[in-house]
Amino acid sequence: MKQLFISPQFVSDNLPVQLVLPDLNQAKALFAIIANHRDDLKPWMAWVTTVKSIEDEEAFLLNSQQQMYKQKLFLLTICVEGSPAGVITLYDLDFPNHHGKVSYWLSPQYQGHGIASRCLERVLAYAFNQLHLHKLQVWADAFNYKAQHVAQRMGFEHEATMKEELFFNDRYHDMEVFCYVNLAQNV
């Protein structure tokens, strides 16, 4: 990436949170969340059914590190109380056109504490101030109201509904697209 990401610890609803770069040592904890909360995560994320072992999560983290080196994505592990609790990712980075997408997931036990919003706030600042992006999108399943609410809370505006955009779990999913344009950026 253009500049190393450094995230000091912050507190959300009395819980210490830190965004850290991905490391293979996080695979066991992240896989445990996926395995223990598969039914909670599966309706919203197609990849959940493909992660069947710690080795699958290790492969994902290794691939993410390689994609980060190529500046194709920027993934951070969300750590709560010192342990991995989820992931936030900048992806589909298009530097010539100054835009990208952001996605996030968090263990259900830590949802509802403002953690995803606070993490998104920090990633937005990095995307706009360090990567010099102008526009970010969040694509959320039409029925994933929690993900939509996080985006809206952070100032993303509804831009479009993509009908039957993704196919997983044996059905088509409509995706709600939310957009944040950095109006303060000088190009």
Side-chain angles (χ1 to χ4, degrees):
M1 289 286 104
K2 308 252 188 224
Q3 181 177 338
L4 181 64
F5 181 87
I6 299 172
S7 172
Q9 181 173 296
F10 59 94
V11 176
S12 186
D13 202 18
N14 293 318
L15 294 167
V17 180
Q18 189 166 20
L19 296 172
V20 299
L21 293 169
D23 186 283
L24 295 182
N25 293 327
Q26 300 161 355
K28 184 176 180 180
L30 289 169
F31 175 71
I33 294 167
I34 295 164
N36 292 332
H37 300 286
R38 195 173 302 277
D39 290 340
D40 296 315
L41 299 171
K42 184 180 172 184
W44 319 125
M45 292 168 268
W47 56 263
V48 170
T49 58
T50 66
V51 181
K52 298 176 181 173
S53 66
I54 294 171
E55 292 77 19
D56 289 342
E57 186 61 23
E58 287 174 342
F60 167 76
L61 291 171
L62 183 59
N63 181 60
S64 296
Q65 290 171 337
Q66 293 167 348
Q67 294 302 307
M68 288 174 69
Y69 179 76
K70 296 175 185 176
Q71 297 189 2
K72 301 291 183 187
L73 67 78
F74 182 67
L75 180 139
L76 294 167
T77 301
I78 302 167
C79 291
V80 181
E81 298 180 312
S83 297
V87 168
I88 188 164
T89 308
L90 288 168
Y91 67 104
D92 283 354
L93 295 172
D94 182 345
F95 290 110
N97 291 303
H98 306 151
H99 63 80
K101 296 175 183 166
V102 62
S103 66
Y104 37 86
W105 69 268
L106 189 61
S107 174
Q109 76 185 78
Y110 293 117
Q111 294 176 9
H113 295 281
I115 294 169
S117 296
R118 301 279 308 274
C119 291
L120 182 56
E121 178 180 43
R122 281 155 178 76
V123 169
L124 281 173
Y126 181 74
F128 294 143
N129 299 328
Q130 302 302 321
L131 301 181
H132 306 290
L133 298 181
H134 178 68
K135 176 181 173 178
L136 284 176
Q137 290 180 330
V138 169
W139 286 50
D141 187 281
F143 296 105
N144 189 347
Y145 302 119
K146 290 180 182 180
Q148 293 176 41
H149 183 68
V150 168
Q152 291 171 319
R153 183 181 308 126
M154 295 311 306
F156 283 74
E157 295 181 5
H158 187 262
E159 187 171 55
T161 300
M162 306 302 288
K163 295 288 187 185
E164 300 185 354
E165 182 70 12
L166 298 178
F167 184 83
F168 63 95
N169 297 335
D170 298 320
R171 71 176 187 86
Y172 289 98
H173 293 253
D174 292 352
M175 300 299 290
E176 300 297 341
V177 180
F178 295 86
C179 172
Y180 191 106
V181 175
N182 182 13
L183 298 176
Q185 182 188 37
N186 295 322
V187 179

